[in-house]
């Protein structure tokens, strides 16, 4: 049927954004090369009922044609966008005067999901937010051999983990995303806080240029990265919102002086305790990288009052890790070890779980 679409631009980087109703994209990857004015093309599901195409341009551009044209009768429609280079000041004016009517929901990271995901009336038990990294238009890393996408790996693992956590008495775990949908980093934090999470676990499986590095890493937040590897990884993770074409507006400023207030300091102590418990639980069972406890400025770990860890389960750039990450047996075994870590975390920090 005839597609409805809206067109927007963002500056830094220069992007042309096409929002559509929920769309099943059937692009042939080989046909979808970013050429000419464009350096990158991504597409995927954004929020409820919204899909998006994000095209990054080398230079300031403007769509001179943007319309839906009818194909031969009975052959559907095609969306035609034709762009040309414009002067920087013209592009700046274009960005400044546009409105995002109807799309603030996804653009600002405040979606209807938050309304519907309101707190349950009675929270019984220790609530844990399990956050499957990436999703929708942000596919994350790609497997070295199978080309499996990180967003798929993290969601499968997150589901296995939630199921296992919920088998534990006094624990209530939930997913920040249930399907292949994009959620901004700050929204993940908001969802966790709205549902009164007492622990936040973000799951990832990224890639590194050094293909021989393998094993799990556990991260906590810090304004200063523990090392180069952590710093680079946090930098790439924090790009997620940019990939989706979101302009970061009312985000808190840079993650600096993160440990100044007492709540943060207390939260941080709990985060580190949880991270240590995961490493202890993995030791001898699951491969860990050298110095598996690391820290960096991950935006997704920024809740001041929810102890948070980011768990790199392994690296999709390493073929052996890739094999394990996509193996349901390994996923279940590893999820069991995280459950064990949560148990000992609760015990060691004297937290009383619910009924
Ligand atoms: Zn990731």
């Amino acid at each position: 049927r005839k597609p409805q679409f809206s067109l927007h631009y963002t500056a830094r980087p220069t992007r042309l954004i096409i929002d559509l109703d929920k769309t099943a994209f059937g692009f042939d990857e080989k046909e979808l090369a970013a050429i000419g004015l464009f350096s990158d093309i991504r597409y995927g599901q954004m929020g409820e009922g919204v899909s998006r195409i994000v095209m990054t341009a080398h230079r300031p551009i403007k769509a001179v044609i943007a319309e839906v044209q009818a194909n031969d009768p009975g052959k559907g429609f095609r969306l035609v966008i034709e762009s040309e280079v414009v002067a920087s000041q013209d592009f700046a004016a274009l960005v400044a005067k546009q409105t995002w009517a109807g799309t603030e929901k996804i653009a600002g990271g405040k979606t209807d999901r938050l309304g519907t995901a309101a707190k349950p009336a009675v929270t019984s038990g220790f609530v844990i937010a399990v956050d499957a990294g990436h999703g929708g238009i942000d596919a994350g890393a790609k497997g070295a051999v199978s080309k499996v996408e990180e967003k798929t790996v993290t969601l499968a693992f997150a589901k296995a983990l939630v199921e296992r956590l919920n088998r534990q008495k006094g624990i209530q775990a939930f997913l920040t995303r249930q399907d292949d949908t994009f959620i901004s980093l700050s929204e993940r934090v908001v969802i966790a806080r709205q549902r009164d999470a007492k622990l936040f676990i973000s799951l990832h499986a990224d890639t590194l240029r050094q293909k021989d590095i393998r094993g799990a890493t556990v991260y906590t937040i810090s304004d200063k990265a523990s090392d180069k590897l952590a710093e680079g990884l946090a930098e790439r993770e924090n790009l997620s919102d940019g990939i989706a074409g979101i302009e970061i507006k009312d985000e808190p400023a840079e993650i600096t002086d993160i440990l100044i207030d007492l709540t943060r300091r207390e939260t941080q102590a709990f985060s580190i305790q949880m991270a240590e418990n995961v490493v202890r639980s993995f030791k001898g069972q699951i491969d860990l990288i050298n110095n598996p406890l690391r820290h960096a400025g991950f935006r997704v770990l920024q809740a001041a009052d929810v102890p948070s860890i980011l768990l790199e389960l392994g690296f999709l750039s390493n073929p052996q890790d890739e094999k394990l990450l996509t193996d349901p047996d390994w996923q279940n075994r590893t999820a069991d070890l995280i459950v064990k870590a949560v148990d000992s975390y609760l015990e060691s920090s004297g937290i009383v779980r619910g009924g």
Side-chain angles (χ1 to χ4, degrees), residues 295-308:
H295 48 265
F298 292 95
R299 297 179 85 95
V300 79
L301 301 181
Q302 66 187 324
D305 50 356
V306 187
S308 304

Side-chain angles (χ1 to χ4, degrees), residues 66-83:
E67 60 189 25
V68 173
Q69 296 174 2
N71 289 333
D72 290 339
K75 298 251 173 75
F77 297 85
R78 63 183 187 278
L79 177 59
V80 179
I81 312 272
E82 218 175 286
S83 306

Side-chain angles (χ1 to χ4, degrees), residues 133-134 138-141 150 154 203-207 233 236-237 310 312:
H134 309 276
D138 170 22
E150 184 184 357
T154 59
L203 300 163
H204 288 262
D206 282 276
T207 49
L233 210 59
R236 269 182 290 143
E237 285 303 336
L310 186 144
E312 287 283 353

Side-chain angles (χ1 to χ4, degrees), residues 193-239:
R193 298 194 64 240
Q194 283 203 337
R195 296 194 50 175
D196 259 347
K198 297 285 182 279
L199 184 63
F200 180 89
I201 304 174
S202 190
L203 300 163
H204 288 262
D206 282 276
T207 49
L208 290 177
R209 218 164 291 156
Q210 307 94 302
K211 305 225 177 307
D212 54 322
I213 296 184
R214 56 174 304 203
T217 325
V218 193
Y219 288 97
T220 53
I221 198 168
S222 162
D223 53 350
K224 203 171 174 308
S226 52
D227 55 284
K228 274 268 169 281
L229 188 148
E231 188 180 4
L233 210 59
E235 230 163 69
R236 269 182 290 143
E237 285 303 336
N238 291 345
L239 284 177

